[in-house]
Every structure is written in C-alpha cells, then in structure tokens.
Amino acid sequence: MTTATPAKARTLTMAQAISEATAQEMERDPRVFVMGEDVGKYGGIFSATTGLLDRFGPERVMDTPISETGFMGAALGAAAEGLRPISELMFVDFFGVCFDQIYNHIAKNHYMSGGACKYPLVITTGIGGGYNDAAQHSQCLYSIFAHVPGLKVVVPSNAYDAKGLMTTAIRDDNPVVFLYHKGIMGLSWMSYFEGSTNAVPEEPYAIPFGEARVVREGSDVTIVTLSQMVQKSLVAAEQLAADGISAEIVDLRTLVPLDRATVLKSVAKTGRLLVADEDYLSYGLSGEIAALVAEHLDSIRLKAPVRRLAVPDVPIPFSRPLEQFAIPQVDNLVASVRGLMNAKIY
Amino acid sequence: MDATAEQLLWMYEKMIEIREYEETMARVYLEGKLPPRIQKGLAFDIGAGPVPGEMHLAAGQEPVAVGVCAHLRRDDTVVGAHRPHHFAIAKGVDLDAMTAEMFGKDTGLGRGKGGHMHLFDPAVKFSCSGIVGAGAPQACGAALAAKKLGRDAVAVAFFGEGAANQGAFHEALNLAALWKLPVIFVVEDNKYGISVEKSASTAIASNADRAAGYGMPGVLVEKNDAIAVFDAAGAAIARARRGEGPTLIEVKTDRYFGHFQGDPETYRPKGEAKALRQHDPIPALGALVRDLGLLDANSDAALRERIVARVQAAYDFGRNSPYPRPEDALLHVFAE
C-alpha cells in the first residue's frame, strides 16, 4: 500500500517573496516600474529585485545614479502622471540625503492639493543591524517615517507577510514606505532568523494594512513588536515557556495605519506589556505603544508597569560586543519578561 | 521660430493679466496687516488679514512665464517654485480656484490646505513647491512618465537663481541628461536670493554655463523680454519634443517687489525697483503688437478692461467663498 505524500508547501525567503510580489504586480499593471541603485543587474543589494531585470527589461527596472534626491523626486513626478513607481532607498540610513522629497513632497502633496492629486508610489528600503555595519548602515528609523503624516509604513517580519503586504503597497494609491530588515531577508551572505523564511503561496494575494497579527498566543504577558524582533521574540517565548511563562506576541506589521485594537485586546487579556523595538528608545514606537495603553487604562487593568526594550539612545556601534549590547537580543527579551512577571503596581 | 500674431497677443494679454493679478495682490495682501489694526507695538502682522502667510510676488518676471508657456500644451507639465503666480497664470491654472486658495477658502485649488506656495491644478498639470530647488527632480519624473508612455509631452521646471546652488538642481540636471528626458530647466535670475546678491552666492556669472558640465545645451537670455525668452524656449521645447533631451535656460529678469510683501528691502540700493520699472517688458511688447497692427489704442484699452474685470472677478470669488469647516483639517491625509 502506498500513501500519497502531501505536496510540501513552497517556502521563500523574504527577499524572494518581495521580488515575487513585485513581479506579479508588474505583470498585472504596466504602470508599475522599479527604480533605484543597483536594482537591475545586481538585483538589489538585499535581493529585493532579483530576477526583475531579466523579466521586464531596463525600461521597467531602472538602475539610477547614486542620486537619491534626484530619483525620489522623479518617482513623485512620475506618480503624479499616473505611473506607479517602486523606488528603492538602498539603506534607510540614506534618507538624510533625500528626505525633503519624501517628507515635504511625497507625504504632503496629496493633502496640500486638497485631495486633487494622487501619488501612488512605494519606497522600499533596508533596515536594521546585527552584522557590524555601524552607525550609518544599521538603523531602523521607521518611527521617523511614521511620524510624518501622509506616509503609510509597512514593516514585515516574514516572507508570507512580506509578499501580501508588498502587493497591497503597490496597489495602494498613497505613498507607502516598505521597510525590510536585512537580517530576515534570507540572504546567502548574512546570518538570519529562519522563522522569516516560510510558506508562501505562488498566486498573488494581498494582506490589508492596519491588521496586526498575533503570532503566538499567551496569557501572562504581551510582547508588542515588529520586523526581526518578532523572530527574536518567538525564540524568547520558547525559553520563557520552559519556565512556565506564557507570552503572547503581537506583530504590528504596519505602523501606519496602526492596529490599536489588537494591541489593546491583547494587553487587556494578559495585563502585562513589553514593547520590543530595534529603533531608538526615546520619542519613537515604544513610547507610542506605551502611550496607547496609558490612554486606555480606564478599560485595561495592568498587573505590572509597561516595559520598553529598544536601542538605548546611542548610535549603533561597530564592534561586536558593543553592537550586541546596544541592539536588544533574545536574552534581553527573556530577562525583560521575567522582570515584568515580578514587577507590581502600587 | 517667429512668434505668430496669436502668440504675440497671447503673451501680451497674459503679461498684463499677471501684472494686474500681482499688483492687486500687493494691495489685498496688506489689508488688515498694518497699524493701527494689529497688535500694539507691531509694524506688520503676517498672519492677519484676508490673505495670511507669506506672499511672494512676481511682478517684473512675466516674460519668463509667458515666453516659455506660449509653447506649452495642456498635457505638458510645469513645476513652479515659491513665487508661482506668473507660471500658474501662464499655464492656464483656474484663476478663481487659485485665488480662493490664497484666501484659504474651501473653493480653492487645495481647499485651503496649500496656500500660495502650494498650488496644484492637475487639469493643466501644474504644481509648485515652497522648497527651493525641489521641483527640478519632480519635473524629471513627469518627463520620464511622458517618455515611458510614448507621449511627446515635455516638463518644465521653473526656479530662481538661488535654487541653482541646491543639490536637487544638480542631481536633476544629471538625471535629465543621462536619461535624455524631455525637460526644460528655466532659471529666473532676479539677482537676489531673498537678500543675497547672486555674486555673493554663485561662483560663476551665468548658470547657463553649468549646463556644459551635464552634457546639455545651456542658453542665457540676457534681456527681460518676452520675445527673447520665447525664442530660447521654443528651440529647447522643440528639441525636447523631438526626443533630443533637456536644456537649461537662464533668464536675467527683474523683481519689482520685495522677496515677500512686507520685506523692508534694506539690502537693495534705494530706488532700484523704481529704476527697473523704466525697462518694463509689458509696454515694450505692447509697442511691438501695435506696430505690427495687431492692436490699436481702442482694442488695447478694451483688452485691459477685460483683464481687469477677470482679475477682479477672481478676487471677488476668493473673498466671497466660504471657509472650509475647521475639522476638514483632518481630511485628505490619505487618498481613499
């Protein structure tokens, strides 16, 4: 007797998932094109555009000069004419050379036109540290983009989400900033968290913005997080489970729009909140989530004070022990949750 | 390419319209901003009156706008700068909606969300920006779109000579030449970046010389004259439409008002603005059209009357339109 083996689900790296979503949308909509540094033959420094040049040619997959103000402005101008550019900012750290086009124009022109003009474009960009690239190539900075009204901000943690969210980003009529963490792209030259490479359907699908995902259910503590830190949190949660601590993990997936309801529901259930973030501690995402919960203490009873784990307001240092200290690691997550379990509200 | 009778008349009419618009705004803008109607001790109150905020007027710079826009079609794109009224009028932006925008009214181009530096009229592909130099790369994008879509439309970026020292300008020139984009960069040299003279901000006398560094033609128009601009722009735009790439044009022009209304202009030699008006480009073109027999004294007067009425109607529309509801501030952050 033979048993049919079920077809093994196809897995993709996050980089493959992003380029597959892009290819499928380019196939579907001739207005979509890609521009940026090394997006052509090289396929993107972090492989987000691998294979696109061969398939769509240089008219639709355009290598640009190292001239971010030039091509971000051009993306806006092309979007105003009805095209749908995907414009890659190689490292998010480079926003400093082109932010005027992004925050003063791409983000605001729809508003300043009273809704008369639309700018359907996607800015893709690599974020995050953990591989010793130092202070100018290791930041996350998503809070800066989320702070400016008019930009949607997407920060996926795995391949399945990345494909669905990228599809939604390209179809959206607004500017979307799509930030992928280098340490979960599944690159062959950088160690990564394997949980980010997962089963991805071949057919196109869209994941709506503003829907956080509970990636692990738990009853003692809620970890609100995003991007690579989701993968770190999953590892931490396994260790905590061995100690009998049940952690629930909420992956925000998009910062704008933000799924406040899922955060509040989870914290109401567990009564404890740890915000785990790879961005800088002060004036950013972790403070935003803490404030959200503080504003709802009339309907949420906390069992412990809110805790935040983030980069302690220092630039990302180069040397391995320094960087490992500055960027929250699995051990820090475990220790923070344990501390939270012992903390009390007076 | 000589201007046709129709083009000459159009330029003349538009220059008068722009001047009438700016002279009217110069008065209207000051309503409610001067003592004794403002807070005691102030000489001027920028946020008061029916047209609040900054106000940059372009009287004197009309030849640049009309000389270029005489060649443009509705489907060509114009990106202007912080001093945008002359470009907007010459590109055919709706005068009522544009004026209402400056009054902050719900009937404005941006429903009161943009104001005079941020005018968007997609019907005629006009936009502008308050950030010096920012429009140049955006015009490249419009030109790139035209090329990708197989259209022979062009894009024009207008900005002042101060913008030619911005990185955005240099990046845009490289991009345009590299990709052979149908874009024309037009520098209005009105001698001052706010208060700083060009010689104190720019290492070379003519920005047109910078074109050579990017592998594109550079043209200097030395006279604040509509026909001279028309000739230079005509060649550049025809070249762009033929797919032969971008051109940089610098025009030496004159700013009759301050950088903004209320500018004490302490940096200007006394009487300079008055002296500049001795070389007003509008009477010069008027003399030409009359010499050519295109207008006589009666039809000239009738034309001016029509323009004054049109401009007055736009100001009345702006003034009498309703404000948006305060809570409409929350609308239009995102497209639905």
Side-chain angles (χ1 to χ4, degrees):
Chain A
M1 188 177 132
T2 54
T3 48
T5 42
K8 198 162 175 274
R10 183 190 67 148
T11 62
L12 291 184
T13 65
M14 203 164 94
Q16 289 166 337
I18 293 167
S19 78
E20 181 168 282
T22 307
Q24 287 175 343
E25 290 309 297
M26 288 177 79
E27 202 70 65
R28 198 177 71 90
D29 186 343
R31 297 170 300 175
V32 179
F33 72 101
V34 178
M35 67 200 304
E37 292 153 9
D38 306 288
V39 298
K41 271 187 210 151
Y42 204 104
I45 294 295
F46 304 113
S47 300
T49 57
T50 298
L52 297 180
L53 176 68
D54 288 345
R55 203 154 148 201
F56 298 100
E59 294 293 312
R60 294 185 71 194
V61 184
M62 303 176 70
D63 276 328
T64 63
I66 301 169
S67 187
E68 288 87 354
T69 288
F71 69 78
M72 284 298 167
L76 178 151
E81 301 286 331
L83 297 183
R84 304 180 80 86
I86 299 168
S87 186
E88 174 146 301
L89 179 62
M90 186 186 284
F91 288 77
V92 75
D93 313 67
F94 302 169
F95 87 97
V97 296
C98 61
F99 208 40
D100 177 62
Q101 291 296 336
I102 297 172
Y103 90 106
N104 256 333
H105 296 91
I106 290 170
K108 294 175 184 166
N109 277 10
H110 175 72
Y111 185 81
M112 293 195 297
S113 75
C117 301
K118 287 182 183 173
Y119 304 90
L121 62 92
V122 182
I123 297 172
T124 52
T125 187
I127 63 170
Y131 63 102
N132 312 96
D133 218 0
Q136 299 172 343
H137 292 76
S138 300
Q139 300 167 91
C140 283
L141 302 179
Y142 30 70
S143 294
I144 288 179
F145 293 88
H147 185 64
V148 177
L151 299 172
K152 295 190 178 179
V153 178
V154 181
V155 194
S157 68
N158 64 85
Y160 176 86
D161 285 356
K163 180 174 173 181
L165 292 167
M166 186 64 182
T167 301
T168 304
I170 297 169
R171 293 178 186 176
D172 200 296
D173 276 343
N174 294 283
V176 179
V177 185
F178 188 98
L179 306 102
Y180 52 77
H181 196 297
K182 291 160 270 179
I184 47 174
M185 288 291 268
L187 303 172
S188 62
W189 48 277
M190 185 187 293
S191 79
Y192 62 94
F193 283 81
E194 289 173 4
S196 60
T197 298
N198 56 7
V200 177
E202 285 185 35
E203 68 276 8
Y205 59 94
I207 296 175
F209 290 169
E211 291 188 7
R213 186 167 151 255
V214 178
V215 296
R216 181 191 167 105
E217 293 202 17
S219 53
D220 294 326
V221 57
T222 297
I223 303 175
V224 171
T225 188
L226 72 172
S227 191
Q228 191 195 49
M229 201 64 76
V230 171
Q231 303 302 339
K232 288 181 179 173
S233 298
L234 284 164
V235 176
E238 284 301 311
Q239 295 182 19
L240 290 162
D243 294 350
I245 300 171
S246 168
E248 176 149 304
I249 301 172
V250 175
D251 179 356
L252 292 173
R253 301 202 291 191
T254 64
L255 299 189
V256 181
L258 179 65
D259 182 357
R260 295 179 171 84
T262 296
V263 171
L264 293 171
K265 191 175 157 202
S266 177
V267 177
K269 181 175 86 172
T270 64
R272 295 184 185 90
L273 170 63
L274 173 69
V275 188
D277 183 12
E278 197 187 312
D279 212 342
Y280 302 120
L281 176 68
S282 297
Y283 308 103
L285 172 73
S286 62
E288 185 66 31
I289 300 298
L292 171 68
V293 171
E295 284 167 345
H296 290 81
L297 289 177
D298 52 353
S299 57
I300 291 175
R301 203 179 70 80
L302 286 180
K303 299 170 187 160
V306 170
R307 287 277 165 95
R308 298 190 284 156
L309 191 54
V311 174
D313 296 333
V314 296
I316 309 297
F318 162 68
S319 175
R320 189 173 298 120
L322 300 178
E323 189 194 33
Q324 296 286 308
F325 177 85
I327 295 177
Q329 306 296 330
V330 172
D331 288 351
N332 305 118
L333 282 156
V334 170
S336 293
V337 170
R338 285 199 182 122
L340 206 45
M341 295 306 294
N342 293 325
K344 287 196 168 46
I345 286 181
Y346 293 100
Chain B
M1 180 174 61
D2 285 340
T4 63
E6 196 188 351
Q7 285 170 321
L8 287 170
L9 281 171
W10 182 86
M11 288 194 286
Y12 181 57
E13 179 174 339
K14 283 292 155 187
M15 286 216 290
I16 298 170
E17 184 176 329
I18 293 164
R19 180 67 56 85
E20 177 66 19
Y21 194 88
E22 298 296 66
E23 302 273 12
T24 305
M25 183 55 83
R27 292 190 304 274
V28 170
Y29 177 73
L30 292 177
E31 287 176 21
K33 289 192 175 60
L34 298 171
R37 297 184 54 196
I38 56 174
Q39 188 181 357
K40 211 173 167 203
L42 293 182
F44 182 80
D45 185 356
I46 187 168
V51 181
E54 286 183 61
M55 180 53 65
H56 312 83
L57 299 174
Q61 302 183 193
E62 297 89 351
V64 189
V66 301
V68 174
C69 292
H71 300 281
L72 297 183
R73 307 185 309 230
R74 200 177 165 84
D75 67 332
D76 293 323
T77 296
V78 165
V79 185
H82 61 286
R83 191 184 306 286
H85 304 170
H86 52 330
F87 309 133
I89 291 170
K91 186 61 173 71
V93 169
D94 185 283
L95 206 61
D96 286 353
M98 166 176 148
T99 310
E101 184 61 25
M102 297 184 211
F103 280 85
K105 298 301 180 69
D106 197 40
T107 52
L109 287 171
R111 305 191 65 180
K113 293 200 163 87
H116 109 104
M117 284 188 280
H118 314 106
L119 304 169
F120 296 83
D121 189 350
V124 295
K125 298 198 173 194
F126 180 85
S127 66
C128 56
S129 166
I131 304 296
V132 169
Q138 298 167 11
C140 290
L144 178 66
K147 204 171 161 174
K148 281 185 182 299
L149 296 167
R151 300 174 183 155
D152 70 345
V154 302
V156 179
F158 287 106
F159 41 85
E161 90 288 344
N165 294 319
Q166 278 282 23
F169 165 83
H170 294 275
E171 292 194 26
L173 260 66
N174 181 59
L175 215 57
L178 180 73
W179 290 343
K180 245 184 166 183
L181 299 176
V183 56
I184 297 91
F185 302 100
V186 182
V187 185
E188 289 187 293
D189 175 10
N190 66 14
K191 300 183 196 70
Y192 296 99
I194 305 188
S195 67
V196 175
E197 280 188 69
K198 188 185 187 187
S199 60
S201 72
T202 306
I204 56 172
S206 167
N207 282 305
D209 292 346
R210 289 177 156 171
Y214 297 99
M216 72 174 75
V219 181
L220 176 64
V221 178
E222 298 203 58
K223 207 172 157 205
N224 190 32
D225 174 77
I227 306 286
V229 176
F230 178 91
D231 290 344
I237 291 166
R239 189 172 171 275
R241 283 204 210 283
R242 288 196 304 268
E244 293 170 22
T247 301
L248 173 63
I249 299 172
E250 177 160 83
V251 183
K252 287 185 177 296
T253 187
D254 296 324
R255 190 185 83 197
Y256 291 170
F257 291 110
H259 167 68
F260 49 80
Q261 269 302 76
D263 177 359
E265 298 187 70
T266 48
Y267 51 88
R268 252 183 174 185
K270 264 207 155 36
E272 185 187 75
K274 205 173 168 195
L276 293 175
R277 285 184 187 257
Q278 301 304 306
H279 308 283
D280 191 334
I282 297 178
L285 189 60
L288 178 72
V289 294
R290 281 190 301 275
D291 285 353
L292 291 172
L294 303 175
L295 276 182
D296 59 25
N298 285 339
S299 51
D300 195 359
L303 174 71
R304 284 171 182 276
E305 217 169 285
R306 273 205 313 279
I307 292 168
V308 168
R310 186 192 306 157
V311 169
Q312 191 53 51
Y315 277 86
D316 289 346
F317 178 80
R319 201 184 281 275
N320 298 328
S321 285
Y323 279 109
R325 299 176 309 160
E327 61 272 29
D328 286 354
L330 302 176
L331 302 178
H332 307 126
V333 177
F334 291 110
E336 292 305 316

